[in-house]
Amino acid sequence: MTRQLRLLRILTVQEVRMMMNHRWWLFLLQIANVLPPAIALLVWHGAIDQGANPPVSTTYLTSYLVLVSVVSMVTSSWTSGFLAASIRLGGLNSWLVRPCSTHLSHLANNSAEKFLKLGLLVPPVVVLGLIFRDDLRLPGEPGRWLLFLPALIMAAAMTFAFDILIGSLAFWMEDIAAVDRLRYLLARLLSGGLVPLALFPAVFQPFLDAQPFRFLISFPLEVLLGTTRAIDYAYQAGWFVVVVGGAVLVWRRGLRDYQGAGA
Amino acid sequence: MTPRLFWACLQQAIRRDLQFRSQTAINAFSSIGDLVLGVVPVLIITGSGGTAWTGPLAVVVVGIFGISTGLMDCFVKPNLAKMHGYVRQGDLDLILIRPVNAQLFATLRWMEPAELGRVLSGAAMVAVGLHLADVRPDAGLVLQAVAWAAIGFAGFSLLWANLAYSAFWFESADPVNEIAAQLREAGKYPITYFTGAARLVLMTLVPAGLVAAVPVETLTGTASPLLLALPALAAGLVLTKLHWHLASRRYSSASS
């Protein structure tokens, strides 16, 4: 375990060094990340000013939409495409003969990306927060931030496992891009990344509360903003086991079919 | 780019899609799903009240947005997304040496016919939305709405092209395509929800509001006159040609 952690640290530092060459690229990506919640904030504030009556308070809506890009970024993962390419082109071979898992390198890549992106995302989010400061309320209780952290880490781990699950489909499919796009499409709407789940009509709430995508973005924010229930932690733990377990099973099954020739 | 060349590029794109049929089918399905799921936040906001916009009218906005963006993602976006690679890897050489208008060829060469599924689903949404909203525009209003949508399509494509040309000036400019795609999303909301500076920007500099919201206002009889839009579009076209001319002079052919 200590050896794996040491390897992870070395690989992460290496990735940070490489990504430092692409600072502007990463910064522009963060601008793109902030745009959807910024547009949603403008639309909702315009609607509320004109008399719209959403089922949540303006304070909740504003706080959620200002913070959602940070949580989306921290819990995001871009592993599926790289993993699929390494399976299809045979690049996985070089990892299979090493005493280090390919997943460890992807984890290091994601960790380095988070480390750099977080620093680059903060300025545009602060600007967004300042623009809507009148309706922004960040929780002051340390307890809530402490509960937020494990929810956030579990959400990030679930997204990473989802990526391995989708990327592993390349053991059987020539191109997983379309499946990946379909997954992003569902996740964007059902995770609360596009619109807070609390704004959906009440009739959909039981389904939205139970489905797995909620625990990727919405749930950590619900914890932070104090609108979640104790049972929801059990739901997240349950989905965590299902998604991570599914990724492990599909990966192991795929490795048995792997030819190693490359396309 | 002559019609003959355009037709040849389209045929090639269809053949390419037919080579990867399952991938194309899933892409077409995702494209339609993107539009259908995209209507959800718009319906939620119109359902909260506040303005005269109703759910059916919002569906019409999203439908026209789908038609416009489906065409953009089929004919324009695949090319502009490649602009960064053309400049960084020297692939622009292969375009510049051809006896065609390089700017047009670089903007319209690649096509993704699977995205046209969104045009059909968008048209269906427009028909259903207009029926439910009980809006029966006459031919004149329809023509005006089509003209506004065309101006929005062309205006936003020009903006996107100018952003993509930043690859000539800056390294790591690739994410500008993602920025353009996210800015465009503002176009699927009724424009009246935007106030002040945001509305002005969406009607002029970033003409996402012209892509769908203004055409729907036209259909309901409350649109702005077209008089100023056409000269503005012509000016945008001239500036874009000028930008290409200046930017391509910086191109140093990385491959050679």
Side-chain angles (χ1 to χ4, degrees):
Chain A
M1 187 65 185
T2 315
R3 191 175 153 279
Q4 296 294 318
L5 285 174
R6 195 166 63 87
L7 275 172
L8 180 63
R9 184 179 59 78
I10 292 167
L11 288 170
T12 306
V13 170
Q14 193 181 38
E15 291 283 351
V16 168
R17 282 194 187 129
M18 279 196 289
M19 285 185 199
M20 285 291 277
N21 293 322
H22 306 286
R23 292 182 294 275
W24 277 106
W25 184 80
L26 286 170
F27 180 68
L28 288 175
L29 273 185
Q30 300 324 299
I31 298 289
N33 277 344
V34 172
L35 279 173
I39 290 168
L41 272 167
L42 287 170
V43 173
W44 275 104
H45 274 258
I48 290 166
D49 289 346
Q50 291 168 43
N53 188 24
V56 294
S57 69
T58 312
T59 307
Y60 176 86
L61 195 59
T62 307
S63 308
Y64 186 102
L65 290 172
V66 166
L67 294 171
V68 74
S69 50
V70 177
V71 172
S72 299
M73 189 276 291
V74 172
T75 63
S76 70
S77 170
W78 56 12
T79 296
S80 54
F82 295 120
L83 184 60
S86 79
I87 293 168
R88 195 176 64 249
L89 303 172
L92 182 62
N93 300 352
S94 61
W95 285 102
L96 292 178
V97 295
R98 287 178 193 175
C100 171
S101 166
T102 184
H103 300 318
L104 206 63
S105 75
H106 290 303
L107 187 60
N109 179 270
N110 270 287
S111 307
E113 171 230 344
K114 303 277 177 289
F115 174 75
L116 286 178
K117 276 187 179 176
L118 201 58
L120 296 168
L121 181 62
V122 167
V125 170
V126 168
V127 170
L128 197 63
L130 286 172
I131 294 170
F132 293 96
R133 62 187 174 281
D134 292 344
D135 294 309
L136 181 65
R137 298 280 181 281
L138 295 178
E141 309 95 51
R144 210 180 283 174
W145 288 94
L146 284 175
L147 287 171
F148 166 71
L149 270 180
L152 189 71
I153 292 166
M154 291 260 275
M158 278 175 72
T159 312
F160 186 66
F162 255 125
D163 255 24
I164 291 176
L165 195 64
I166 301 280
S168 300
L169 294 179
F171 283 120
W172 302 280
M173 295 172 71
E174 280 187 15
D175 196 343
I176 57 112
V179 177
D180 214 16
R181 181 177 171 181
L182 205 58
R183 185 270 303 246
Y184 273 117
L185 201 66
L186 282 174
R188 203 171 50 149
L189 186 73
L190 295 176
S191 66
L194 192 63
V195 57
L197 298 181
L199 292 175
F200 280 74
V203 67
F204 296 118
Q205 290 303 333
F207 163 72
L208 292 170
D209 284 351
Q211 49 86 28
F213 295 112
R214 171 191 172 207
F215 300 96
L216 305 182
I217 294 176
S218 180
F219 180 65
L221 278 166
E222 290 169 29
V223 171
L224 194 60
L225 300 175
T227 57
T228 195
R229 304 159 300 172
I231 185 73
D232 292 328
Y233 287 97
Y235 272 131
Q236 191 187 32
W239 277 119
F240 178 81
V241 171
V242 169
V243 175
V244 174
V248 170
L249 281 177
V250 171
W251 175 254
R252 286 184 178 166
R253 180 74 185 76
L255 272 185
R256 287 212 295 270
D257 283 3
Y258 182 59
Q259 300 292 314
Chain B
M1 193 167 181
T2 62
R4 196 171 146 210
L5 185 57
F6 181 82
W7 177 240
C9 288
L10 181 60
Q11 280 181 313
Q12 191 186 45
I14 292 170
R15 283 196 200 107
R16 197 170 47 245
D17 268 7
L18 288 175
Q19 273 187 306
F20 305 99
R21 288 179 291 279
S22 61
Q23 177 82 357
T24 303
I26 298 175
N27 263 330
F29 180 69
S30 299
S31 178
I32 295 167
D34 204 1
L35 182 66
V36 174
L37 293 179
V39 81
V40 173
V42 187
L43 284 178
I44 288 174
I45 198 162
T46 49
S48 301
T51 68
W53 285 87
T54 59
L57 275 181
V59 169
V60 181
V61 176
V62 177
I64 295 181
F65 180 79
I67 295 171
S68 217
T69 57
L71 290 169
M72 215 182 283
D73 288 354
C74 173
F75 296 110
V76 182
K77 182 186 166 186
N79 300 280
L80 297 178
K82 286 184 168 64
M83 194 61 71
H84 185 259
Y86 286 160
V87 178
R88 293 289 145 234
Q89 291 160 21
D91 295 342
L92 196 63
D93 295 2
L94 300 172
I95 292 171
L96 293 174
I97 59 170
R98 291 179 196 202
V100 292
N101 179 324
Q103 185 180 15
L104 264 181
F105 192 66
T107 311
L108 295 169
R109 178 192 178 192
W110 291 100
M111 298 167 197
E112 288 182 9
E115 299 294 338
L116 293 177
R118 210 177 333 148
V119 176
L120 296 177
S121 54
M125 287 172 83
V126 172
V128 171
L130 285 176
H131 176 71
L132 292 175
D134 203 21
V135 174
R136 288 175 178 72
D138 58 41
L141 286 178
V142 172
L143 276 177
Q144 273 188 55
V146 171
W148 270 119
I151 288 168
F153 176 90
F156 201 88
S157 299
L158 289 177
L159 169 77
W160 198 326
N162 280 290
L163 288 173
Y165 297 162
S166 61
F168 288 99
W169 305 93
F170 308 106
E171 283 182 32
S172 311
D174 195 22
V176 293
N177 294 299
E178 187 60 23
I179 291 175
Q182 297 299 349
L183 282 172
R184 195 178 64 177
E185 288 296 301
K188 73 180 178 197
Y189 294 96
I191 195 77
T192 46
Y193 285 115
F194 294 97
T195 51
R199 190 190 297 195
L200 184 67
V201 168
L202 290 175
M203 299 282 274
T204 53
L205 285 176
V206 183
L210 306 183
V211 168
V214 171
V216 175
E217 284 188 338
T218 308
L219 288 174
T220 56
T222 55
S224 321
L226 282 161
L227 284 175
L228 285 175
L230 287 171
L233 186 65
L237 197 60
V238 170
L239 286 174
T240 306
K241 279 187 81 70
L242 186 66
H243 188 185
W244 168 267
H245 182 67
L246 287 173
S248 56
R249 280 167 59 182
R250 291 175 58 87
Y251 178 64
S252 56
S253 182
S255 63
S256 57

